């Protein structure tokens, strides 16, 4: 079984988000980039599945050499080899097109992504990749097990879940619950140094979207505190002032 | 040129997010001075299909086939994209629900269209430009996205647009789509419903609790308050990690994003990763015993107090209001 895991790097979750160039560019100065948390659980599940099924795990990133350390971390967690497509990602469609161009003829049985990257919060790459490769996709996957050449996947739906049987190959975007985060051990870190990391040049993709401006959300007017001895007043305010019920 | 909107249904009934989508799509059709067509997939009654006219649809396309009872995103995307092509639609609208999230990117690729997911607010269409806003960086910023392709796909954030009945009549037509067997390789084996609870992503009111509640045995009062308010129940990540509550209830950066009219946070500290999932709520109420809890900084109303004293009084006050 051949698994491809797509990983992105995102600003550390506690980053203060600011912009430059007249609010048109994300200010990356002093920002620490980390492996997207959802991609980390996708990788963790891929490594578990590959161990059980004698499979291989390849990790792939679309981006510049700054992410090589993150790719080495993924190798330390258990991927066998790494691929970096050497391009500055512009949007999800660009990323999905690059991944598809690489994966097209490699015979992966399963391609895992995170459900979303926590920077531009898309939940787009997995489904776009499925469409470009003309294979099934599940955008938000809560559980993955394998039965022969079929994946048994749980998909999140409003007010419940759906269980799907999907033949190889398919794309799944993983959410919490798919696996626990894995911390690389010393042996993993040592062996990651010698595992292959190849760099591939990108294909040309015509952009369909362009971010013209960023804005910070309006700050909330400061909190109105209600004394603990007058709890009923809160319900009164919510009913008459805020009119939420 | 026209606008096409996909209206999601579940068990034969249109979903609230679908009515939001059609109201939003109608406003866009009006902006662009064009007609609105709605498409429904699955088994929905004729009366319900016709009723979409009240929300501004001029025409309703319906597709019903035994293989389409369950949601198969490949097939659904193919149908919607095909309808868009037949109608020469320039804008395709759907809800950014769990289903919409799986569907919109596939439709966009099929139509070579730019996609804005989680759209908030109507597009700005001036000087030949088409710009739509969405939340980025876990709601820490808003992006203005210009779609530069001829066809645009917009997935509307749930609870971000008010349902509006404009009145009107629609004609209902069956839509013939080209059946492609390759679109049906995924098989829905089972649907597990979390009983009759209010669904969290759709909920207008959310009552959420954190580690301040001490243990799973104390959620009775949270559920009681939620049920009195017709609210969904949510929790912080450590609460679901400890299996006090199911993972489906966990909100935040690594959980579900909600944007209800009212979010009540009880015994939750307000960590940045939690706020990321709830900050687009319209009104935020925080109940916490620690006056310095960071959550108060983003709250509209707050009570500094012990949840075990405050929540029963809230329940009593809601009951009193209702009677
Ligand atoms: C990569 C990453 C992703 C994360 N994603 C998420 C996420 O999606 N969602 C999420 O929630 N967290 C997430 N977290 C965890 C987050 O950082 C916090 O640890 C978590 O939100 C804290 O949960 P809590 O507020 O319930 O618990 P605590 O931080 O322990 O806070 C409990 C609160 O209860 C109050 N309290 C105690 N007793 C009472 C009482 N009797 N009455 C009233 N109040 C009381 C306390 O004053 C305190 O403020 C993430 C963390 C990381 C690193
Ligand atoms: N630059 C990238 N390189 C590789 N994979 C990516 C990249 N950006 C996003 N992805 C993958 O796509 C998933 C969803 O991203 P998005 O649709 O942008 O929210 C992420 O969790 C990653 O698995």
């Amino acid at each position: 079984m051949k698994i491809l895991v797509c990983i992105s790097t995102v600003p550390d979750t506690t980053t203060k988000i600011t912009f430059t160039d007249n609010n048109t560019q994300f200010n990356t100065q002093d920002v620490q980039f980390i492996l997207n948390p959802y991609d980390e659980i996708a990788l963790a599940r891929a490594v578990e599945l590959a161990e059980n099924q004698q499979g291989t795990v390849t990790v792939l990133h679309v981006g510049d050499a700054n992410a090589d350390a993150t790719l080495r971390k993924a190798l330390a967690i258990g991927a066998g080899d790494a691929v970096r497509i050497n391009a500055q990602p512009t949007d999800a469609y660009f990323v999905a097109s690059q991944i598809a161009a690489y994966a097209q003829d490699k015979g992966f049985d399963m391609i895992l992504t995170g459900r979303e990257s926590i920077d531009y919060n898309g939940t787009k790459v997995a489904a776009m990749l499925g469409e470009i490769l003309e294979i099934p996709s599940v955008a938000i996957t809560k559980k993955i097990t394998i039965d022969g050449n079929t994946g048994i996947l749980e998909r999140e739906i409003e007010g419940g879940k759906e269980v799907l049987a999907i033949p190889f190959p398919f794309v799944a975007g993983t959410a919490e619950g798919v696996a626990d985060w894995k911390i690389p051990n010393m042996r993993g870190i040592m062996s990651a140094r010698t595992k292959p990391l190849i760099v591939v040049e990108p294909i040309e993709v015509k952009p369909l979207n362009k971010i013209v401006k960023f804005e910070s959300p309006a700050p909330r007017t400061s909190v109105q505190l209600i004394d603990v001895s007058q709890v009923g007043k809160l319900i009164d305010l919510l009913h008459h002032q805020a009119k939420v019920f | 040129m026209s606008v096409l909107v996909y209206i999601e249904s579940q068990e034969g009934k249109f979903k609230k997010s679908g009515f939001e989508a059609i109201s939003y799509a109608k406003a866009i059709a009006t902006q662009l001075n064009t007609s609105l067509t709605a498409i429904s997939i699955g088994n929905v009654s004729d009366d319900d299909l016709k009723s979409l006219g009240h929300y501004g649809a001029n025409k309703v396309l319906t597709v019903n086939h035994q293989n389409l009872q369950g949601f198969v995103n490949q097939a659904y995307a193919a149908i919607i994209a095909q309808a868009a092509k037949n109608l020469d639609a320039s804008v395709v609208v759907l809800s950014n629900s769990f289903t919409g999230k799986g569907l919109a990117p596939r439709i966009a690729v099929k139509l070579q269209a730019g996609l804005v997911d989680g759209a908030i607010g109507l597009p700005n269409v001036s000087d030949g430009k088409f710009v739509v806003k969405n939340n980025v960086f876990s709601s820490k910023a808003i992006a203005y996205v210009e779609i530069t392709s001829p066809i645009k796909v917009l997935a509307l954030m749930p609870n971000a647009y008010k349902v509006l009945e404009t009145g009107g009549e629609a004609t209902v037509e069956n839509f013939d789509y080209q059946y492609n067997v390759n679109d049906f390789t995924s098989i829905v084996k089972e649907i597990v419903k979390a009983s009759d609870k209010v669904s969290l992503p759709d909920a207008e009111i959310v009552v959420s609790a954190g580690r301040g509640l001490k243990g799973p045995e104390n959620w009775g009062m949270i559920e009681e308050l939620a049920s009195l308010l017709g609210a969904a129940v949510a929790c912080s990540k450590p609460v679901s990690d400890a299996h006090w509550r199911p993972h489906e209830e966990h909100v935040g950066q690594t959980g579900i994003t909600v944007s209800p009219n009212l979010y009540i946070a009880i015994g939750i500290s307000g960590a940045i990763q939690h706020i990321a999932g709830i900050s687009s709520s319209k009104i935020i109420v925080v109940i916490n015993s620690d006056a310095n809890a960071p959550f108060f900084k983003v709250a509209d109303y707050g009570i500094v107090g012990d949840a075990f004293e405050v929540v029963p009084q809230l329940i009593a006050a809601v009951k009193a209001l209702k009677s």
Side-chain angles (χ1 to χ4, degrees), chain B residues 108-148:
Chain B
V109 169
K110 276 193 193 294
L111 297 173
Q112 285 297 294
L115 161 66
V116 174
D117 58 293
I120 48 175
L122 288 171
N124 188 341
V125 277
S126 53
D127 314 330
K129 290 197 171 132
F130 191 101
V131 180
V132 194
K133 289 192 285 187
N134 70 353
N135 289 325
V136 291
F137 294 103
S138 304
S139 299
K140 286 192 247 176
I142 294 164
Y144 287 70
V145 186
E146 181 187 347
I147 305 183
T148 49

Short mmCIF file of all heavy atoms in Angstrom, two decimals, chain B residues 108-148:
data_model
loop_
_atom_site.label_atom_id
_atom_site.label_comp_id
_atom_site.label_asym_id
_atom_site.label_seq_id
_atom_site.Cartn_x
_atom_site.Cartn_y
_atom_site.Cartn_z
N ALA B 108 -15.92 23.71 -8.40
CA ALA B 108 -15.04 24.79 -8.88
C ALA B 108 -14.03 24.26 -9.89
O ALA B 108 -13.79 24.87 -10.93
CB ALA B 108 -14.34 25.45 -7.69
N VAL B 109 -13.44 23.09 -9.60
CA VAL B 109 -12.45 22.53 -10.53
C VAL B 109 -13.14 22.19 -11.85
O VAL B 109 -12.63 22.50 -12.93
CB VAL B 109 -11.76 21.28 -9.93
CG1 VAL B 109 -10.95 20.53 -10.99
CG2 VAL B 109 -10.85 21.70 -8.77
N LYS B 110 -14.31 21.58 -11.78
CA LYS B 110 -15.03 21.21 -13.01
C LYS B 110 -15.33 22.43 -13.88
O LYS B 110 -15.32 22.35 -15.10
CB LYS B 110 -16.35 20.53 -12.68
CG LYS B 110 -16.20 19.04 -12.42
CD LYS B 110 -17.57 18.39 -12.40
CE LYS B 110 -17.52 16.99 -11.85
NZ LYS B 110 -16.77 16.05 -12.69
N LEU B 111 -15.64 23.55 -13.23
CA LEU B 111 -16.03 24.75 -13.98
C LEU B 111 -14.85 25.70 -14.21
O LEU B 111 -15.02 26.78 -14.76
CB LEU B 111 -17.14 25.50 -13.24
CG LEU B 111 -18.46 24.75 -13.06
CD1 LEU B 111 -19.41 25.54 -12.17
CD2 LEU B 111 -19.12 24.49 -14.42
N GLN B 112 -13.65 25.26 -13.76
CA GLN B 112 -12.48 26.15 -13.82
C GLN B 112 -12.82 27.51 -13.21
O GLN B 112 -12.50 28.57 -13.75
CB GLN B 112 -12.01 26.32 -15.28
CG GLN B 112 -11.28 25.08 -15.78
CD GLN B 112 -10.00 24.84 -14.98
OE1 GLN B 112 -9.08 25.63 -15.02
NE2 GLN B 112 -9.96 23.75 -14.20
N ALA B 113 -13.50 27.43 -12.06
CA ALA B 113 -14.00 28.64 -11.41
C ALA B 113 -13.22 28.91 -10.14
O ALA B 113 -12.81 27.98 -9.44
CB ALA B 113 -15.48 28.45 -11.07
N GLY B 114 -13.03 30.17 -9.82
CA GLY B 114 -12.47 30.54 -8.53
C GLY B 114 -13.50 30.28 -7.45
O GLY B 114 -14.70 30.45 -7.67
N LEU B 115 -13.03 29.85 -6.28
CA LEU B 115 -13.94 29.49 -5.18
C LEU B 115 -13.63 30.34 -3.95
O LEU B 115 -12.47 30.46 -3.57
CB LEU B 115 -13.74 28.00 -4.83
CG LEU B 115 -14.23 27.51 -3.47
CD1 LEU B 115 -15.75 27.58 -3.37
CD2 LEU B 115 -13.77 26.08 -3.21
N VAL B 116 -14.67 30.92 -3.35
CA VAL B 116 -14.50 31.49 -2.01
C VAL B 116 -15.35 30.66 -1.06
O VAL B 116 -16.57 30.58 -1.21
CB VAL B 116 -14.90 32.98 -1.95
CG1 VAL B 116 -14.85 33.47 -0.51
CG2 VAL B 116 -13.96 33.81 -2.81
N ASP B 117 -14.66 30.00 -0.12
CA ASP B 117 -15.36 29.15 0.84
C ASP B 117 -15.57 29.95 2.11
O ASP B 117 -14.75 30.79 2.46
CB ASP B 117 -14.50 27.92 1.12
CG ASP B 117 -13.15 28.34 1.64
OD1 ASP B 117 -12.39 28.94 0.86
OD2 ASP B 117 -12.86 28.10 2.83
N GLY B 118 -16.68 29.69 2.79
CA GLY B 118 -16.98 30.43 4.01
C GLY B 118 -17.21 31.90 3.74
O GLY B 118 -16.82 32.76 4.53
N ALA B 119 -17.86 32.19 2.59
CA ALA B 119 -18.11 33.59 2.23
C ALA B 119 -18.97 34.26 3.28
O ALA B 119 -19.91 33.66 3.81
CB ALA B 119 -18.80 33.65 0.87
N ILE B 120 -18.62 35.50 3.62
CA ILE B 120 -19.46 36.29 4.53
C ILE B 120 -19.80 37.58 3.80
O ILE B 120 -18.94 38.22 3.22
CB ILE B 120 -18.75 36.59 5.87
CG1 ILE B 120 -17.32 37.11 5.66
CG2 ILE B 120 -18.72 35.36 6.77
CD1 ILE B 120 -16.60 37.52 6.92
N GLY B 121 -21.04 37.94 3.79
CA GLY B 121 -21.46 39.18 3.14
C GLY B 121 -21.56 39.05 1.63
O GLY B 121 -20.96 38.15 1.02
N LEU B 122 -22.32 39.95 1.04
CA LEU B 122 -22.54 39.91 -0.41
C LEU B 122 -21.27 40.33 -1.15
O LEU B 122 -20.47 41.09 -0.63
CB LEU B 122 -23.69 40.86 -0.78
CG LEU B 122 -25.07 40.36 -0.37
CD1 LEU B 122 -26.11 41.46 -0.58
CD2 LEU B 122 -25.44 39.11 -1.18
N PRO B 123 -21.10 39.84 -2.38
CA PRO B 123 -19.93 40.27 -3.16
C PRO B 123 -20.01 41.75 -3.49
O PRO B 123 -21.09 42.33 -3.56
CB PRO B 123 -20.02 39.42 -4.43
CG PRO B 123 -21.37 38.83 -4.45
CD PRO B 123 -21.90 38.83 -3.07
N ASN B 124 -18.84 42.32 -3.68
CA ASN B 124 -18.77 43.68 -4.16
C ASN B 124 -18.49 43.59 -5.66
O ASN B 124 -17.46 43.08 -6.07
CB ASN B 124 -17.63 44.38 -3.42
CG ASN B 124 -17.59 45.86 -3.71
OD1 ASN B 124 -18.16 46.30 -4.71
ND2 ASN B 124 -16.94 46.61 -2.85
N VAL B 125 -19.45 44.05 -6.47
CA VAL B 125 -19.27 43.91 -7.92
C VAL B 125 -19.22 45.28 -8.58
O VAL B 125 -20.19 45.73 -9.15
CB VAL B 125 -20.38 43.05 -8.59
CG1 VAL B 125 -20.06 41.60 -8.45
CG2 VAL B 125 -21.75 43.31 -7.98
N SER B 126 -18.08 45.92 -8.46
CA SER B 126 -17.94 47.21 -9.14
C SER B 126 -16.68 47.18 -10.01
O SER B 126 -15.78 46.35 -9.79
CB SER B 126 -17.84 48.34 -8.11
OG SER B 126 -16.82 48.05 -7.19
N ASP B 127 -16.62 48.05 -10.99
CA ASP B 127 -15.49 48.16 -11.94
C ASP B 127 -15.15 46.81 -12.58
O ASP B 127 -13.98 46.48 -12.76
CB ASP B 127 -14.20 48.67 -11.28
CG ASP B 127 -14.44 49.87 -10.40
OD1 ASP B 127 -15.39 50.62 -10.71
OD2 ASP B 127 -13.70 50.02 -9.41
N GLY B 128 -16.15 46.00 -12.84
CA GLY B 128 -15.88 44.71 -13.47
C GLY B 128 -15.17 43.73 -12.55
O GLY B 128 -14.70 42.69 -12.98
N LYS B 129 -15.07 44.08 -11.25
CA LYS B 129 -14.40 43.16 -10.32
C LYS B 129 -15.43 42.48 -9.44
O LYS B 129 -16.50 43.03 -9.18
CB LYS B 129 -13.42 43.94 -9.45
CG LYS B 129 -12.22 44.41 -10.24
CD LYS B 129 -11.11 44.80 -9.31
CE LYS B 129 -9.85 45.05 -10.11
NZ LYS B 129 -9.19 46.29 -9.75
N PHE B 130 -15.10 41.31 -8.98
CA PHE B 130 -16.02 40.53 -8.16
C PHE B 130 -15.24 40.13 -6.90
O PHE B 130 -14.36 39.28 -6.95
CB PHE B 130 -16.46 39.30 -8.97
CG PHE B 130 -17.60 38.54 -8.37
CD1 PHE B 130 -18.90 38.69 -8.85
CD2 PHE B 130 -17.39 37.64 -7.32
CE1 PHE B 130 -19.95 37.97 -8.31
CE2 PHE B 130 -18.44 36.92 -6.77
CZ PHE B 130 -19.73 37.08 -7.28
N VAL B 131 -15.54 40.79 -5.78
CA VAL B 131 -14.75 40.58 -4.56
C VAL B 131 -15.66 40.09 -3.43
O VAL B 131 -16.70 40.69 -3.16
CB VAL B 131 -14.03 41.88 -4.15
CG1 VAL B 131 -13.22 41.66 -2.87
CG2 VAL B 131 -13.13 42.38 -5.27
N VAL B 132 -15.25 39.02 -2.78
CA VAL B 132 -16.03 38.43 -1.68
C VAL B 132 -15.13 38.29 -0.45
O VAL B 132 -13.95 37.99 -0.58
CB VAL B 132 -16.57 37.03 -2.05
CG1 VAL B 132 -17.63 36.58 -1.07
CG2 VAL B 132 -17.13 37.03 -3.45
N LYS B 133 -15.73 38.47 0.74
CA LYS B 133 -14.96 38.36 1.97
C LYS B 133 -15.09 36.96 2.58
O LYS B 133 -16.14 36.35 2.48
CB LYS B 133 -15.50 39.34 3.02
CG LYS B 133 -15.21 40.78 2.73
CD LYS B 133 -15.52 41.63 3.95
CE LYS B 133 -17.00 41.83 4.16
NZ LYS B 133 -17.31 42.79 5.23
N ASN B 134 -14.03 36.50 3.23
CA ASN B 134 -14.16 35.33 4.11
C ASN B 134 -13.20 35.46 5.29
O ASN B 134 -12.33 36.33 5.31
CB ASN B 134 -13.98 34.01 3.33
CG ASN B 134 -12.57 33.77 2.86
OD1 ASN B 134 -11.70 34.62 2.97
ND2 ASN B 134 -12.34 32.59 2.32
N ASN B 135 -13.41 34.62 6.30
CA ASN B 135 -12.54 34.63 7.47
C ASN B 135 -11.31 33.79 7.20
O ASN B 135 -11.41 32.69 6.67
CB ASN B 135 -13.26 34.03 8.69
CG ASN B 135 -14.35 34.93 9.21
OD1 ASN B 135 -14.22 36.15 9.19
ND2 ASN B 135 -15.43 34.34 9.67
N VAL B 136 -10.14 34.29 7.58
CA VAL B 136 -8.89 33.52 7.44
C VAL B 136 -8.11 33.58 8.75
O VAL B 136 -8.49 34.32 9.67
CB VAL B 136 -8.03 34.05 6.27
CG1 VAL B 136 -8.68 33.75 4.93
CG2 VAL B 136 -7.76 35.54 6.42
N PHE B 137 -7.04 32.83 8.83
CA PHE B 137 -6.21 32.76 10.04
C PHE B 137 -7.08 32.51 11.26
O PHE B 137 -7.03 33.27 12.25
CB PHE B 137 -5.37 34.04 10.20
CG PHE B 137 -4.34 34.20 9.12
CD1 PHE B 137 -4.53 35.09 8.08
CD2 PHE B 137 -3.19 33.43 9.12
CE1 PHE B 137 -3.60 35.23 7.07
CE2 PHE B 137 -2.24 33.55 8.12
CZ PHE B 137 -2.44 34.46 7.08
N SER B 138 -7.89 31.47 11.20
CA SER B 138 -8.75 31.09 12.32
C SER B 138 -9.54 32.27 12.84
O SER B 138 -9.59 32.53 14.04
CB SER B 138 -7.93 30.47 13.45
OG SER B 138 -7.19 29.39 12.96
N SER B 139 -10.16 33.01 11.93
CA SER B 139 -10.99 34.17 12.25
C SER B 139 -10.21 35.32 12.88
O SER B 139 -10.80 36.24 13.43
CB SER B 139 -12.17 33.80 13.15
OG SER B 139 -12.98 32.87 12.49
N LYS B 140 -8.88 35.27 12.79
CA LYS B 140 -8.10 36.41 13.31
C LYS B 140 -8.00 37.49 12.25
O LYS B 140 -7.44 38.56 12.49
CB LYS B 140 -6.71 35.94 13.75
CG LYS B 140 -6.75 35.16 15.07
CD LYS B 140 -5.35 34.96 15.63
CE LYS B 140 -4.95 33.50 15.61
NZ LYS B 140 -3.58 33.27 16.05
N ALA B 141 -8.46 37.22 11.03
CA ALA B 141 -8.46 38.24 9.97
C ALA B 141 -9.54 37.93 8.95
O ALA B 141 -10.07 36.82 8.89
CB ALA B 141 -7.09 38.29 9.29
N ILE B 142 -9.85 38.96 8.16
CA ILE B 142 -10.81 38.81 7.07
C ILE B 142 -10.06 39.07 5.77
O ILE B 142 -9.28 40.03 5.69
CB ILE B 142 -11.96 39.83 7.24
CG1 ILE B 142 -12.76 39.50 8.50
CG2 ILE B 142 -12.86 39.86 6.01
CD1 ILE B 142 -13.64 40.63 8.97
N ALA B 143 -10.28 38.22 4.77
CA ALA B 143 -9.63 38.44 3.47
C ALA B 143 -10.68 38.91 2.46
O ALA B 143 -11.81 38.43 2.46
CB ALA B 143 -8.98 37.16 2.98
N TYR B 144 -10.29 39.86 1.61
CA TYR B 144 -11.12 40.27 0.49
C TYR B 144 -10.56 39.53 -0.72
O TYR B 144 -9.43 39.79 -1.12
CB TYR B 144 -11.03 41.77 0.25
CG TYR B 144 -11.76 42.58 1.29
CD1 TYR B 144 -11.28 42.66 2.60
CD2 TYR B 144 -12.91 43.28 0.96
CE1 TYR B 144 -11.96 43.40 3.55
CE2 TYR B 144 -13.59 44.03 1.91
CZ TYR B 144 -13.11 44.09 3.20
OH TYR B 144 -13.78 44.82 4.15
N VAL B 145 -11.33 38.59 -1.26
CA VAL B 145 -10.83 37.75 -2.34
C VAL B 145 -11.47 38.15 -3.66
O VAL B 145 -12.71 38.14 -3.77
CB VAL B 145 -11.12 36.26 -2.06
CG1 VAL B 145 -10.44 35.38 -3.11
CG2 VAL B 145 -10.68 35.87 -0.67
N GLU B 146 -10.64 38.50 -4.63
CA GLU B 146 -11.17 38.79 -5.95
C GLU B 146 -11.16 37.49 -6.76
O GLU B 146 -10.14 36.82 -6.85
CB GLU B 146 -10.32 39.85 -6.66
CG GLU B 146 -10.88 40.16 -8.04
CD GLU B 146 -9.98 41.08 -8.86
OE1 GLU B 146 -9.04 41.69 -8.31
OE2 GLU B 146 -10.23 41.17 -10.07
N ILE B 147 -12.30 37.14 -7.31
CA ILE B 147 -12.35 35.96 -8.18
C ILE B 147 -12.15 36.47 -9.60
O ILE B 147 -12.92 37.30 -10.09
CB ILE B 147 -13.68 35.20 -8.04
CG1 ILE B 147 -13.92 34.84 -6.57
CG2 ILE B 147 -13.65 33.94 -8.91
CD1 ILE B 147 -15.18 34.03 -6.34
N THR B 148 -11.12 35.95 -10.27
CA THR B 148 -10.75 36.49 -11.57
C THR B 148 -11.24 35.63 -12.73
O THR B 148 -11.13 36.03 -13.89
CB THR B 148 -9.22 36.66 -11.66
OG1 THR B 148 -8.60 35.44 -11.24
CG2 THR B 148 -8.74 37.79 -10.76
#
